[in-house]
Amino acid sequence: MPVQCSNCVQRRAVLKRPKTGHSLCKDCFFWAFEEEIHQTIMSAGLLNRGETVAIGASGGKDSTVLAHVMKVLNERYDYGLNLLLLSVDEGITGYRDDSLETVKRNQQQYELPLKIVSYEELYGWTMDAIVKQVGLKNNCTFCGVFRRQALDRGAMMLKVDKICTGHNADDVAETVLMNVLRGDIARLRRCTAISTASDGEGAIPRCKPLKYAYEKEIVLYAYFKKLDYFSTECIYSPNAYRGHARAFLKDLESIRPSSIIDVIHSGETLSIKEGVKMPVQGTCSRCGYISSQALCKSCVLLEGLNRGLPKLGIGKHHRLHGKILAQEPLTEQEEKKLKPVDF
Ligand code: SF4
Ligand code: ZN
């Protein structure tokens, strides 16, 4: 016998909500999903009337759903936001070029302005070229650091007030687990924050309206709404460490769906023991971007690439930064350590 929607008790249920286990019809699911995001935005005071908000758009399911829902809510609740799409082109042939085509279609479908910033124009390097030099082991470190800064730089060019990213509940829970496993207390404290409004000066505040949205529900929403998104994985392999955290979380979720929210909740309510040293935010002496060191990570990584010493920004080589930047010669031994590994 067909199951009835437990909400409207009129239509036939087409899905069981992964988050709550409720059997719902399509329309009641759309409403519940959108309403929860609205509640997240309202209760955390993420956005204010009149603001220009850039939606970080990759063409993937999360940012496509985010762009769609933000547009729906902006109209339904008259948020008074000026929305636009901001994409980063990492320069990955066969992956980002295709996903950017999806973003361009989204731009038409949602009638939102689109700005694309590329690694090539900002750093003089594409990911294709970086992988050629560094191989496939640390490529995601370069990509992640550059992306973060590229989004900020694009947002500054557009003079936006805020950036919204499509990070979902699974992403946040994974990051909590990864930071626990690495013992990275500073990041552990930061990663559950729904917005970074108070994070240093100069950086544009970021927020995560999908912070409590389950990945499974995002997929269902995109599927039933027939949204146009790009689902291929990056050709330069996903970050292996995150992959393990993800697999572990998926196992937990299959036993107890609330594990995702529970891990986030644990991260949110952790307090840091007095006396634990935290990095002090300053600015990069070279590019002016926020940094807890004299040079930001992005400038160190770039310096390493330009000098053919890509390992400079990977691992603990802080001791050498001063020497390198003062243009002092390195010993043969030191150079050897920073050269690309054979692969
Ligand atoms: Fe960049 Fe790594 Fe993500 Fe590919 S998998 S887009 S290289 S961070
Ligand atoms: Zn810098």
Side-chain angles (χ1 to χ4, degrees):
M1 210 178 86
V3 181
Q4 258 195 340
C5 172
S6 63
N7 187 54
C8 65
V9 206
Q10 283 171 14
R11 291 176 292 258
R12 211 174 133 173
V14 293
L15 58 94
K16 202 166 171 169
R17 268 197 85 178
K19 196 171 183 175
T20 59
H22 294 151
S23 298
L24 295 180
C25 69
K26 244 201 272 186
D27 287 340
C28 286
F29 169 64
F30 292 156
W31 186 263
F33 182 85
E34 290 159 2
E35 222 34 38
E36 282 176 15
I37 295 166
H38 172 60
Q39 287 310 325
T40 303
I41 293 172
M42 287 295 124
S43 60
L46 293 188
L47 304 160
N48 302 307
R49 174 169 291 280
E51 282 177 338
T52 299
V53 178
I55 300 168
S58 68
K61 62 178 185 339
D62 301 309
S63 60
T64 304
V65 166
L66 177 65
H68 178 86
V69 173
M70 287 301 295
K71 188 170 165 73
V72 166
L73 295 177
N74 195 29
E75 285 164 13
R76 181 183 300 159
Y77 292 106
D78 188 24
Y79 286 170
L81 300 173
N82 177 25
L83 298 174
L84 39 92
L85 302 174
L86 173 59
S87 292
V88 176
D89 181 358
E90 297 94 341
I92 303 176
T93 313
Y95 167 65
R96 186 54 85 216
D97 41 2
D98 291 346
S99 61
L100 284 175
E101 288 308 310
T102 314
V103 179
K104 288 178 195 159
R105 287 197 303 276
N106 290 159
Q107 171 193 15
Q108 308 287 326
Q109 291 151 355
Y110 304 155
E111 297 170 314
L112 297 174
L114 165 68
K115 163 97 184 153
I116 302 175
V117 286
S118 74
Y119 284 5
E120 188 157 36
E121 73 183 84
L122 294 177
Y123 308 110
W125 287 82
T126 61
M127 271 313 287
D128 287 339
I130 293 174
V131 168
K132 267 202 193 109
Q133 188 182 119
V134 310
L136 284 170
K137 199 156 167 243
N138 294 306
N139 56 308
C140 295
T141 303
F142 287 84
C143 197
V145 171
F146 286 167
R147 184 182 305 109
R148 190 173 170 82
Q149 204 184 81
L151 261 186
D152 269 326
R153 294 225 213 153
M156 281 174 201
M157 290 178 206
L158 293 168
K159 298 191 171 47
V160 308
D161 300 295
K162 279 182 187 144
I163 304 173
C164 283
T165 58
H167 291 98
N168 61 40
D170 299 51
D171 297 329
V172 177
E174 271 162 40
T175 310
V176 170
L177 286 176
M178 279 166 63
N179 289 329
V180 167
L181 297 173
R182 285 180 174 144
D184 191 331
I185 307 302
R187 285 211 175 88
L188 180 56
R189 187 159 77 172
R190 271 201 315 257
C191 74
T192 55
I194 192 157
S195 69
T196 59
S198 53
D199 233 29
E201 286 157 38
I204 295 179
R206 291 184 180 219
C207 60
K208 306 175 189 143
L210 302 184
K211 181 187 169 191
Y212 298 109
Y214 277 30
E215 180 168 71
K216 281 185 176 167
E217 302 210 344
I218 289 172
V219 173
L220 284 172
Y221 186 87
Y223 172 78
F224 283 115
K225 281 272 179 193
K226 298 192 173 63
L227 299 186
D228 182 4
Y229 70 93
F230 184 80
S231 55
T232 309
E233 287 251 359
C234 171
I235 51 167
Y236 296 137
S237 82
N239 185 324
Y241 200 69
R242 180 172 286 275
H244 290 303
R246 165 168 287 253
F248 177 55
L249 195 70
K250 289 272 174 244
D251 282 349
L252 292 177
E253 188 195 9
S254 66
I255 304 166
R256 205 166 68 116
S258 70
S259 298
I260 294 173
I261 289 295
D262 297 340
V263 170
I264 296 178
H265 180 66
S266 302
E268 284 170 341
T269 43
L270 273 181
S271 66
I272 314 285
K273 190 169 76 178
E274 238 179 88
V276 173
K277 243 179 105 192
M278 293 301 229
V280 184
Q281 283 302 15
T283 50
C284 171
S285 55
R286 179 172 285 182
C287 74
Y289 192 69
I290 43 160
S291 171
S292 54
Q293 308 283 333
L295 279 175
C296 72
K297 187 87 175 158
S298 181
C299 282
V300 176
L301 288 171
L302 200 54
E303 182 81 16
L305 284 173
N306 290 336
R307 284 170 172 252
L309 303 172
K311 289 165 98 187
L312 185 63
I314 314 256
K316 304 253 177 274
H317 302 292
H318 292 286
R319 201 175 49 82
L320 296 178
H321 292 178
K323 209 169 171 183
I324 289 250
L325 294 160
Q327 313 273 337
E328 285 170 27
L330 299 181
T331 64
E332 208 175 302
Q333 195 67 20
E334 286 169 340
E335 284 233 355
K336 217 172 128 198
K337 273 199 205 149
L338 301 175
K339 282 252 157 68
V341 265
D342 290 330
F343 52 91

